[in-house]
Short mmCIF file of all heavy atoms in Angstrom, two decimals:
data_model
loop_
_atom_site.label_atom_id
_atom_site.label_comp_id
_atom_site.label_asym_id
_atom_site.label_seq_id
_atom_site.Cartn_x
_atom_site.Cartn_y
_atom_site.Cartn_z
N ILE Q 404 -5.42 -12.18 -78.93
CA ILE Q 404 -5.02 -11.04 -79.73
C ILE Q 404 -3.50 -10.98 -79.79
O ILE Q 404 -2.81 -11.33 -78.84
CB ILE Q 404 -5.58 -9.71 -79.17
CG1 ILE Q 404 -5.16 -9.52 -77.71
CG2 ILE Q 404 -7.09 -9.68 -79.29
CD1 ILE Q 404 -5.60 -8.21 -77.11
N THR Q 405 -2.98 -10.53 -80.92
CA THR Q 405 -1.53 -10.46 -81.09
C THR Q 405 -0.98 -9.13 -80.61
O THR Q 405 0.13 -9.04 -80.10
CB THR Q 405 -1.16 -10.65 -82.57
OG1 THR Q 405 -1.89 -9.70 -83.36
CG2 THR Q 405 -1.54 -12.05 -83.03
N ASP Q 406 -1.79 -8.06 -80.75
CA ASP Q 406 -1.37 -6.73 -80.32
C ASP Q 406 -2.11 -6.39 -79.03
O ASP Q 406 -3.32 -6.25 -79.01
CB ASP Q 406 -1.71 -5.70 -81.41
CG ASP Q 406 -1.19 -4.31 -81.05
OD1 ASP Q 406 -0.65 -4.15 -79.93
OD2 ASP Q 406 -1.33 -3.40 -81.89
N ARG Q 407 -1.34 -6.30 -77.94
CA ARG Q 407 -1.94 -6.07 -76.62
C ARG Q 407 -2.75 -4.79 -76.55
O ARG Q 407 -3.72 -4.68 -75.82
CB ARG Q 407 -0.81 -6.04 -75.57
CG ARG Q 407 -1.26 -5.78 -74.13
CD ARG Q 407 -2.11 -6.95 -73.64
NE ARG Q 407 -2.38 -6.84 -72.22
CZ ARG Q 407 -3.29 -6.04 -71.68
NH1 ARG Q 407 -4.01 -5.26 -72.46
NH2 ARG Q 407 -3.48 -5.99 -70.38
N ASP Q 408 -2.38 -3.78 -77.36
CA ASP Q 408 -3.07 -2.50 -77.31
C ASP Q 408 -4.21 -2.41 -78.33
O ASP Q 408 -4.88 -1.38 -78.42
CB ASP Q 408 -2.08 -1.36 -77.57
CG ASP Q 408 -1.03 -1.28 -76.48
OD1 ASP Q 408 -1.38 -1.52 -75.31
OD2 ASP Q 408 0.14 -1.00 -76.80
N SER Q 409 -4.40 -3.47 -79.13
CA SER Q 409 -5.45 -3.45 -80.14
C SER Q 409 -6.66 -4.21 -79.61
O SER Q 409 -6.65 -5.43 -79.51
CB SER Q 409 -4.95 -4.10 -81.43
OG SER Q 409 -5.98 -4.17 -82.39
N THR Q 410 -7.72 -3.48 -79.24
CA THR Q 410 -8.91 -4.13 -78.70
C THR Q 410 -10.12 -3.79 -79.56
O THR Q 410 -10.05 -2.99 -80.48
CB THR Q 410 -9.18 -3.66 -77.25
OG1 THR Q 410 -9.63 -2.30 -77.28
CG2 THR Q 410 -7.93 -3.76 -76.40
N GLY Q 411 -11.25 -4.42 -79.21
CA GLY Q 411 -12.48 -4.21 -79.97
C GLY Q 411 -13.21 -2.95 -79.63
O GLY Q 411 -14.33 -2.73 -80.11
N LEU Q 412 -12.61 -2.07 -78.83
CA LEU Q 412 -13.30 -0.86 -78.42
C LEU Q 412 -13.62 0.05 -79.60
O LEU Q 412 -14.61 0.79 -79.58
CB LEU Q 412 -12.42 -0.10 -77.40
CG LEU Q 412 -13.05 1.10 -76.69
CD1 LEU Q 412 -14.27 0.66 -75.89
CD2 LEU Q 412 -12.03 1.76 -75.78
N VAL Q 413 -12.81 -0.01 -80.65
CA VAL Q 413 -13.00 0.90 -81.79
C VAL Q 413 -14.30 0.63 -82.53
O VAL Q 413 -14.79 1.50 -83.25
CB VAL Q 413 -11.81 0.77 -82.77
CG1 VAL Q 413 -10.54 1.27 -82.12
CG2 VAL Q 413 -11.65 -0.67 -83.24
N LYS Q 414 -14.88 -0.55 -82.37
CA LYS Q 414 -16.09 -0.86 -83.14
C LYS Q 414 -17.36 -0.29 -82.51
O LYS Q 414 -18.44 -0.43 -83.08
CB LYS Q 414 -16.22 -2.37 -83.33
CG LYS Q 414 -16.45 -3.17 -82.06
CD LYS Q 414 -16.48 -4.67 -82.36
CE LYS Q 414 -16.65 -5.51 -81.11
NZ LYS Q 414 -16.61 -6.95 -81.39
N TYR Q 415 -17.23 0.31 -81.34
CA TYR Q 415 -18.41 0.88 -80.67
C TYR Q 415 -18.40 2.40 -80.84
O TYR Q 415 -17.48 3.09 -80.42
CB TYR Q 415 -18.44 0.50 -79.19
CG TYR Q 415 -18.60 -0.99 -79.00
CD1 TYR Q 415 -17.52 -1.78 -78.60
CD2 TYR Q 415 -19.81 -1.62 -79.25
CE1 TYR Q 415 -17.66 -3.15 -78.44
CE2 TYR Q 415 -19.96 -2.99 -79.10
CZ TYR Q 415 -18.87 -3.75 -78.69
OH TYR Q 415 -19.02 -5.10 -78.55
N ASN Q 416 -19.45 2.89 -81.44
CA ASN Q 416 -19.59 4.32 -81.73
C ASN Q 416 -19.99 5.05 -80.44
O ASN Q 416 -21.02 4.75 -79.84
CB ASN Q 416 -20.67 4.52 -82.80
CG ASN Q 416 -20.73 5.95 -83.30
OD1 ASN Q 416 -20.33 6.87 -82.61
ND2 ASN Q 416 -21.24 6.12 -84.51
N GLN Q 417 -19.17 6.03 -80.05
CA GLN Q 417 -19.45 6.75 -78.82
C GLN Q 417 -20.70 7.61 -78.91
O GLN Q 417 -21.22 8.07 -77.90
CB GLN Q 417 -18.24 7.62 -78.44
CG GLN Q 417 -17.02 6.80 -78.05
CD GLN Q 417 -15.93 7.66 -77.43
OE1 GLN Q 417 -16.16 8.82 -77.12
NE2 GLN Q 417 -14.76 7.08 -77.24
N ASP Q 418 -21.20 7.83 -80.12
CA ASP Q 418 -22.46 8.56 -80.26
C ASP Q 418 -23.65 7.68 -79.89
O ASP Q 418 -24.73 8.18 -79.56
CB ASP Q 418 -22.63 9.05 -81.70
CG ASP Q 418 -21.60 10.11 -82.06
OD1 ASP Q 418 -21.12 10.80 -81.14
OD2 ASP Q 418 -21.27 10.23 -83.26
N LEU Q 419 -23.44 6.36 -79.95
CA LEU Q 419 -24.53 5.42 -79.65
C LEU Q 419 -24.40 4.78 -78.27
O LEU Q 419 -25.37 4.22 -77.75
CB LEU Q 419 -24.57 4.31 -80.70
CG LEU Q 419 -24.78 4.77 -82.15
CD1 LEU Q 419 -24.71 3.56 -83.09
CD2 LEU Q 419 -26.11 5.49 -82.31
N PHE Q 420 -23.22 4.82 -77.68
CA PHE Q 420 -22.98 4.17 -76.40
C PHE Q 420 -22.31 5.13 -75.42
O PHE Q 420 -21.53 6.00 -75.82
CB PHE Q 420 -22.06 2.95 -76.58
CG PHE Q 420 -22.68 1.81 -77.35
CD1 PHE Q 420 -22.53 1.72 -78.73
CD2 PHE Q 420 -23.41 0.82 -76.70
CE1 PHE Q 420 -23.09 0.67 -79.43
CE2 PHE Q 420 -23.96 -0.23 -77.39
CZ PHE Q 420 -23.81 -0.32 -78.77
N ASP Q 421 -22.63 4.94 -74.15
CA ASP Q 421 -21.86 5.59 -73.08
C ASP Q 421 -20.75 4.64 -72.68
O ASP Q 421 -20.98 3.45 -72.45
CB ASP Q 421 -22.76 5.87 -71.87
CG ASP Q 421 -23.82 6.90 -72.18
OD1 ASP Q 421 -23.53 7.83 -72.95
OD2 ASP Q 421 -24.95 6.77 -71.65
N ILE Q 422 -19.52 5.15 -72.61
CA ILE Q 422 -18.36 4.31 -72.31
C ILE Q 422 -17.72 4.79 -71.01
O ILE Q 422 -17.36 5.97 -70.88
CB ILE Q 422 -17.33 4.33 -73.46
CG1 ILE Q 422 -17.99 3.82 -74.75
CG2 ILE Q 422 -16.11 3.48 -73.11
CD1 ILE Q 422 -17.08 3.86 -75.96
N GLU Q 423 -17.60 3.87 -70.08
CA GLU Q 423 -16.99 4.17 -68.78
C GLU Q 423 -15.80 3.23 -68.59
O GLU Q 423 -15.87 2.05 -68.91
CB GLU Q 423 -18.02 3.95 -67.66
CG GLU Q 423 -17.45 4.10 -66.26
CD GLU Q 423 -18.46 3.72 -65.20
OE1 GLU Q 423 -19.59 3.34 -65.57
OE2 GLU Q 423 -18.11 3.79 -64.01
N THR Q 424 -14.71 3.76 -68.06
CA THR Q 424 -13.49 2.96 -67.87
C THR Q 424 -13.08 3.00 -66.40
O THR Q 424 -13.12 4.05 -65.77
CB THR Q 424 -12.34 3.51 -68.73
OG1 THR Q 424 -12.73 3.46 -70.10
CG2 THR Q 424 -11.08 2.67 -68.56
N PHE Q 425 -12.70 1.83 -65.86
CA PHE Q 425 -12.14 1.79 -64.51
C PHE Q 425 -11.11 0.67 -64.44
O PHE Q 425 -11.05 -0.21 -65.30
CB PHE Q 425 -13.23 1.59 -63.44
CG PHE Q 425 -13.88 0.24 -63.45
CD1 PHE Q 425 -13.41 -0.80 -62.66
CD2 PHE Q 425 -15.00 0.01 -64.24
CE1 PHE Q 425 -14.02 -2.04 -62.65
CE2 PHE Q 425 -15.62 -1.24 -64.25
CZ PHE Q 425 -15.13 -2.26 -63.45
N ASN Q 426 -10.26 0.73 -63.42
CA ASN Q 426 -9.20 -0.26 -63.24
C ASN Q 426 -9.43 -1.06 -61.98
O ASN Q 426 -9.87 -0.53 -60.95
CB ASN Q 426 -7.83 0.44 -63.15
CG ASN Q 426 -7.37 0.96 -64.49
OD1 ASN Q 426 -6.76 0.25 -65.27
ND2 ASN Q 426 -7.69 2.22 -64.77
N ASN Q 427 -9.11 -2.34 -62.04
CA ASN Q 427 -9.18 -3.21 -60.87
C ASN Q 427 -8.09 -4.28 -61.01
O ASN Q 427 -8.05 -5.00 -62.01
CB ASN Q 427 -10.56 -3.87 -60.76
CG ASN Q 427 -10.69 -4.72 -59.52
OD1 ASN Q 427 -10.43 -4.25 -58.41
ND2 ASN Q 427 -11.09 -5.97 -59.68
N ASN Q 428 -7.20 -4.35 -60.03
CA ASN Q 428 -6.09 -5.31 -60.06
C ASN Q 428 -5.29 -5.21 -61.35
O ASN Q 428 -4.98 -6.22 -61.99
CB ASN Q 428 -6.62 -6.74 -59.87
CG ASN Q 428 -7.18 -6.97 -58.48
OD1 ASN Q 428 -6.72 -6.35 -57.51
ND2 ASN Q 428 -8.15 -7.85 -58.37
N ASP Q 429 -5.01 -3.97 -61.76
CA ASP Q 429 -4.20 -3.69 -62.95
C ASP Q 429 -4.86 -4.11 -64.26
O ASP Q 429 -4.20 -4.23 -65.29
CB ASP Q 429 -2.82 -4.37 -62.85
CG ASP Q 429 -1.99 -3.82 -61.70
OD1 ASP Q 429 -2.11 -2.60 -61.43
OD2 ASP Q 429 -1.24 -4.58 -61.08
N ILE Q 430 -6.16 -4.34 -64.23
CA ILE Q 430 -6.92 -4.65 -65.45
C ILE Q 430 -7.83 -3.47 -65.75
O ILE Q 430 -8.55 -2.98 -64.88
CB ILE Q 430 -7.76 -5.93 -65.29
CG1 ILE Q 430 -6.86 -7.14 -65.00
CG2 ILE Q 430 -8.60 -6.20 -66.55
CD1 ILE Q 430 -7.63 -8.39 -64.66
N GLU Q 431 -7.79 -2.98 -67.00
CA GLU Q 431 -8.65 -1.87 -67.41
C GLU Q 431 -9.95 -2.42 -67.99
O GLU Q 431 -9.94 -3.19 -68.95
CB GLU Q 431 -7.94 -1.00 -68.44
CG GLU Q 431 -8.77 0.21 -68.85
CD GLU Q 431 -8.03 1.12 -69.81
OE1 GLU Q 431 -7.30 2.00 -69.34
OE2 GLU Q 431 -8.17 0.90 -71.03
N TYR Q 432 -11.05 -2.04 -67.39
CA TYR Q 432 -12.37 -2.50 -67.82
C TYR Q 432 -13.10 -1.34 -68.52
O TYR Q 432 -13.15 -0.22 -68.00
CB TYR Q 432 -13.21 -2.97 -66.63
CG TYR Q 432 -12.67 -4.21 -65.96
CD1 TYR Q 432 -11.75 -4.11 -64.91
CD2 TYR Q 432 -13.07 -5.48 -66.36
CE1 TYR Q 432 -11.25 -5.25 -64.29
CE2 TYR Q 432 -12.58 -6.61 -65.74
CZ TYR Q 432 -11.67 -6.49 -64.70
OH TYR Q 432 -11.18 -7.62 -64.09
N ASN Q 433 -13.67 -1.63 -69.70
CA ASN Q 433 -14.49 -0.67 -70.42
C ASN Q 433 -15.94 -1.15 -70.35
O ASN Q 433 -16.25 -2.26 -70.81
CB ASN Q 433 -14.05 -0.56 -71.88
CG ASN Q 433 -12.65 -0.03 -72.02
OD1 ASN Q 433 -12.39 1.15 -71.85
ND2 ASN Q 433 -11.70 -0.93 -72.31
N ILE Q 434 -16.80 -0.34 -69.76
CA ILE Q 434 -18.22 -0.67 -69.68
C ILE Q 434 -18.94 0.19 -70.71
O ILE Q 434 -18.96 1.42 -70.62
CB ILE Q 434 -18.78 -0.40 -68.27
CG1 ILE Q 434 -17.95 -1.15 -67.22
CG2 ILE Q 434 -20.24 -0.82 -68.20
CD1 ILE Q 434 -17.89 -2.64 -67.43
N ILE Q 435 -19.53 -0.45 -71.70
CA ILE Q 435 -20.16 0.21 -72.84
C ILE Q 435 -21.67 -0.04 -72.72
O ILE Q 435 -22.10 -1.19 -72.61
CB ILE Q 435 -19.62 -0.38 -74.15
CG1 ILE Q 435 -18.08 -0.25 -74.17
CG2 ILE Q 435 -20.22 0.29 -75.35
CD1 ILE Q 435 -17.39 -1.21 -75.08
N GLN Q 436 -22.46 1.02 -72.77
CA GLN Q 436 -23.87 0.84 -72.45
C GLN Q 436 -24.75 1.81 -73.21
O GLN Q 436 -24.39 2.95 -73.46
CB GLN Q 436 -24.06 1.05 -70.94
CG GLN Q 436 -25.46 0.70 -70.42
CD GLN Q 436 -25.55 0.86 -68.92
OE1 GLN Q 436 -24.77 1.61 -68.32
NE2 GLN Q 436 -26.49 0.17 -68.30
N ASN Q 437 -25.94 1.29 -73.60
CA ASN Q 437 -27.03 2.15 -74.03
C ASN Q 437 -28.31 1.61 -73.41
O ASN Q 437 -28.25 0.77 -72.50
CB ASN Q 437 -27.12 2.24 -75.56
CG ASN Q 437 -27.38 0.90 -76.22
OD1 ASN Q 437 -27.83 -0.05 -75.58
ND2 ASN Q 437 -27.09 0.81 -77.51
N ASP Q 438 -29.46 2.07 -73.86
CA ASP Q 438 -30.72 1.67 -73.22
C ASP Q 438 -31.01 0.18 -73.36
O ASP Q 438 -31.73 -0.40 -72.54
CB ASP Q 438 -31.88 2.48 -73.80
CG ASP Q 438 -31.79 3.95 -73.44
OD1 ASP Q 438 -31.12 4.27 -72.44
OD2 ASP Q 438 -32.36 4.78 -74.19
N ALA Q 439 -30.49 -0.46 -74.40
CA ALA Q 439 -30.86 -1.85 -74.68
C ALA Q 439 -29.76 -2.85 -74.37
O ALA Q 439 -30.03 -4.05 -74.24
CB ALA Q 439 -31.26 -1.99 -76.15
N LEU Q 440 -28.51 -2.40 -74.26
CA LEU Q 440 -27.40 -3.34 -74.20
C LEU Q 440 -26.29 -2.84 -73.28
O LEU Q 440 -26.01 -1.63 -73.24
CB LEU Q 440 -26.83 -3.53 -75.62
CG LEU Q 440 -25.75 -4.58 -75.82
CD1 LEU Q 440 -26.28 -5.99 -75.55
CD2 LEU Q 440 -25.19 -4.50 -77.24
N THR Q 441 -25.68 -3.77 -72.55
CA THR Q 441 -24.49 -3.48 -71.76
C THR Q 441 -23.38 -4.43 -72.18
O THR Q 441 -23.61 -5.63 -72.33
CB THR Q 441 -24.75 -3.65 -70.25
OG1 THR Q 441 -25.75 -2.72 -69.83
CG2 THR Q 441 -23.48 -3.41 -69.44
N ILE Q 442 -22.19 -3.88 -72.38
CA ILE Q 442 -21.04 -4.67 -72.84
C ILE Q 442 -19.85 -4.34 -71.95
O ILE Q 442 -19.61 -3.17 -71.63
CB ILE Q 442 -20.67 -4.34 -74.30
CG1 ILE Q 442 -21.87 -4.55 -75.22
CG2 ILE Q 442 -19.47 -5.17 -74.77
CD1 ILE Q 442 -21.79 -3.79 -76.52
N SER Q 443 -19.13 -5.36 -71.52
CA SER Q 443 -17.85 -5.12 -70.86
C SER Q 443 -16.74 -5.63 -71.77
O SER Q 443 -16.86 -6.69 -72.37
CB SER Q 443 -17.79 -5.81 -69.49
OG SER Q 443 -17.70 -7.21 -69.64
N LEU Q 444 -15.67 -4.85 -71.85
CA LEU Q 444 -14.57 -5.19 -72.75
C LEU Q 444 -13.27 -4.99 -71.97
O LEU Q 444 -13.02 -3.92 -71.42
CB LEU Q 444 -14.59 -4.28 -73.98
CG LEU Q 444 -13.69 -4.64 -75.15
CD1 LEU Q 444 -14.13 -5.94 -75.81
CD2 LEU Q 444 -13.69 -3.51 -76.18
N PHE Q 445 -12.44 -6.05 -71.93
CA PHE Q 445 -11.19 -5.97 -71.17
C PHE Q 445 -10.23 -7.04 -71.67
O PHE Q 445 -10.63 -7.98 -72.38
CB PHE Q 445 -11.44 -6.14 -69.67
CG PHE Q 445 -12.16 -7.40 -69.29
CD1 PHE Q 445 -11.47 -8.52 -68.81
CD2 PHE Q 445 -13.54 -7.50 -69.42
CE1 PHE Q 445 -12.13 -9.68 -68.46
CE2 PHE Q 445 -14.21 -8.67 -69.08
CZ PHE Q 445 -13.51 -9.76 -68.60
N VAL Q 446 -8.97 -6.89 -71.31
CA VAL Q 446 -7.92 -7.80 -71.76
C VAL Q 446 -7.18 -8.35 -70.55
O VAL Q 446 -6.78 -7.59 -69.66
CB VAL Q 446 -6.93 -7.10 -72.71
CG1 VAL Q 446 -5.80 -8.06 -73.10
CG2 VAL Q 446 -7.65 -6.60 -73.95
N ILE Q 447 -7.01 -9.67 -70.51
CA ILE Q 447 -6.18 -10.32 -69.50
C ILE Q 447 -5.14 -11.15 -70.24
O ILE Q 447 -5.49 -12.07 -70.99
CB ILE Q 447 -7.01 -11.22 -68.57
CG1 ILE Q 447 -8.09 -10.42 -67.85
CG2 ILE Q 447 -6.11 -11.91 -67.54
CD1 ILE Q 447 -8.99 -11.26 -66.95
N GLY Q 448 -3.88 -10.81 -70.04
CA GLY Q 448 -2.83 -11.54 -70.76
C GLY Q 448 -2.95 -11.31 -72.25
O GLY Q 448 -2.93 -10.17 -72.72
N ASP Q 449 -3.11 -12.40 -73.01
CA ASP Q 449 -3.26 -12.31 -74.47
C ASP Q 449 -4.70 -12.50 -74.92
O ASP Q 449 -4.95 -12.68 -76.11
CB ASP Q 449 -2.38 -13.38 -75.14
CG ASP Q 449 -0.89 -13.14 -74.90
OD1 ASP Q 449 -0.51 -11.97 -74.79
OD2 ASP Q 449 -0.14 -14.13 -74.80
N ILE Q 450 -5.65 -12.48 -73.98
CA ILE Q 450 -7.05 -12.74 -74.33
C ILE Q 450 -7.89 -11.49 -74.12
O ILE Q 450 -7.83 -10.86 -73.06
CB ILE Q 450 -7.62 -13.89 -73.49
CG1 ILE Q 450 -6.79 -15.16 -73.66
CG2 ILE Q 450 -9.08 -14.16 -73.88
CD1 ILE Q 450 -7.28 -16.32 -72.83
N GLU Q 451 -8.66 -11.16 -75.16
CA GLU Q 451 -9.64 -10.08 -75.04
C GLU Q 451 -11.00 -10.71 -74.69
O GLU Q 451 -11.45 -11.64 -75.35
CB GLU Q 451 -9.76 -9.30 -76.34
CG GLU Q 451 -10.78 -8.16 -76.25
CD GLU Q 451 -10.96 -7.45 -77.58
OE1 GLU Q 451 -11.58 -8.04 -78.49
OE2 GLU Q 451 -10.47 -6.32 -77.70
N PHE Q 452 -11.61 -10.19 -73.63
CA PHE Q 452 -12.92 -10.68 -73.18
C PHE Q 452 -13.99 -9.65 -73.53
O PHE Q 452 -13.78 -8.44 -73.37
CB PHE Q 452 -12.91 -10.92 -71.68
CG PHE Q 452 -11.99 -12.01 -71.22
CD1 PHE Q 452 -10.64 -11.76 -71.03
CD2 PHE Q 452 -12.46 -13.30 -70.99
CE1 PHE Q 452 -9.77 -12.75 -70.61
CE2 PHE Q 452 -11.61 -14.30 -70.57
CZ PHE Q 452 -10.26 -14.03 -70.38
N GLU Q 453 -15.12 -10.16 -73.98
CA GLU Q 453 -16.25 -9.29 -74.31
C GLU Q 453 -17.52 -9.96 -73.80
O GLU Q 453 -17.86 -11.07 -74.22
CB GLU Q 453 -16.32 -9.08 -75.82
CG GLU Q 453 -17.31 -8.03 -76.26
CD GLU Q 453 -17.24 -7.81 -77.77
OE1 GLU Q 453 -16.86 -8.76 -78.50
OE2 GLU Q 453 -17.57 -6.71 -78.22
N VAL Q 454 -18.20 -9.30 -72.85
CA VAL Q 454 -19.43 -9.85 -72.27
C VAL Q 454 -20.58 -8.94 -72.66
O VAL Q 454 -20.54 -7.73 -72.41
CB VAL Q 454 -19.33 -9.96 -70.74
CG1 VAL Q 454 -20.60 -10.58 -70.16
CG2 VAL Q 454 -18.10 -10.77 -70.32
N LEU Q 455 -21.62 -9.50 -73.30
CA LEU Q 455 -22.75 -8.73 -73.78
C LEU Q 455 -24.04 -9.24 -73.13
O LEU Q 455 -24.25 -10.46 -73.04
CB LEU Q 455 -22.90 -8.82 -75.30
CG LEU Q 455 -21.70 -8.41 -76.17
CD1 LEU Q 455 -20.78 -9.60 -76.41
CD2 LEU Q 455 -22.19 -7.86 -77.51
N GLY Q 456 -24.89 -8.32 -72.68
CA GLY Q 456 -26.16 -8.71 -72.08
C GLY Q 456 -27.08 -7.52 -71.92
O GLY Q 456 -26.70 -6.36 -72.15
N ASN Q 457 -28.32 -7.79 -71.50
CA ASN Q 457 -29.31 -6.73 -71.31
C ASN Q 457 -29.21 -6.09 -69.94
O ASN Q 457 -29.57 -4.93 -69.77
CB ASN Q 457 -30.73 -7.28 -71.51
CG ASN Q 457 -30.89 -7.97 -72.85
OD1 ASN Q 457 -31.15 -9.18 -72.90
ND2 ASN Q 457 -30.73 -7.23 -73.94
N SER Q 458 -28.76 -6.85 -68.95
CA SER Q 458 -28.68 -6.36 -67.57
C SER Q 458 -27.25 -5.98 -67.22
O SER Q 458 -26.33 -6.80 -67.32
CB SER Q 458 -29.19 -7.43 -66.60
OG SER Q 458 -28.83 -7.12 -65.27
N LYS Q 459 -27.05 -4.74 -66.80
CA LYS Q 459 -25.71 -4.30 -66.42
C LYS Q 459 -25.19 -5.10 -65.24
O LYS Q 459 -24.02 -5.47 -65.19
CB LYS Q 459 -25.73 -2.80 -66.08
CG LYS Q 459 -24.35 -2.25 -65.74
CD LYS Q 459 -24.39 -0.75 -65.51
CE LYS Q 459 -23.01 -0.19 -65.20
NZ LYS Q 459 -23.04 1.28 -64.98
#
Side-chain angles (χ1 to χ4, degrees):
I404 56 177
T405 54
D406 185 356
R407 179 65 171 79
D408 296 323
S409 176
T410 71
L412 189 61
V413 294
K414 65 184 178 183
Y415 296 105
N416 189 335
Q417 293 191 10
D418 293 334
L419 301 176
F420 292 91
D421 293 325
I422 300 177
E423 174 186 1
T424 301
F425 69 92
N426 287 274
N427 184 52
N428 293 330
D429 296 325
I430 299 173
E431 182 176 273
Y432 294 90
N433 297 285
I434 305 302
I435 304 157
Q436 188 177 23
N437 61 19
D438 293 337
L440 186 65
T441 297
I442 304 158
S443 70
L444 191 67
F445 56 99
V446 177
I447 301 178
D449 295 328
I450 303 178
E451 180 184 73
F452 295 83
E453 189 176 28
V454 182
L455 303 88
N457 305 117
S458 165
K459 183 176 182 180

